[in-house]
Amino acid sequence: MKYKEFRNLPKPLVKSIAIICVATALIGVSLGSLAINYHLPIWIPLLLSSCVLAGAAEFTFIGMIASGSSPITAAIQAY
């Protein structure tokens, strides 16, 4: 989208888009910090963020992997 087209959007729509972007960024940062805290490789939260569309399932998967569960069991439980 070009800047000219972006300027023509209604202000409430731009505000809603900005709020969703900030909320998504905060969830991403918290998932990444959780994975780093559990000493997991960085590719795990990146892969989860791009493949899983449910935030709670991502956090459940990270928590189960960190507690010693197998990835298959964590994937089944998270879904």
Side-chain angles (χ1 to χ4, degrees), residues 15-33:
K15 182 180 177 183
S16 298
I17 291 170
I19 289 171
I20 290 172
C21 289
V22 169
T24 303
L26 288 174
I27 290 172
V29 167
S30 65
L31 181 68
S33 65

Side-chain angles (χ1 to χ4, degrees), residues 1 31 41 51 65:
M1 178 178 273
L31 181 68
C51 295
I65 293 294

Side-chain angles (χ1 to χ4, degrees), residues 9-70:
L9 291 175
K11 289 198 186 271
L13 179 63
V14 173
K15 182 180 177 183
S16 298
I17 291 170
I19 289 171
I20 290 172
C21 289
V22 169
T24 303
L26 288 174
I27 290 172
V29 167
S30 65
L31 181 68
S33 65
L34 184 66
I36 295 298
N37 188 34
Y38 288 136
H39 304 290
L40 296 174
I42 194 68
W43 62 267
I44 291 178
L46 292 175
L47 183 67
L48 285 172
S49 296
S50 61
C51 295
V52 179
L53 300 177
E58 295 173 20
F59 285 99
T60 302
F61 185 85
I62 293 285
M64 289 185 72
I65 293 294
S67 67
S69 178
S70 73

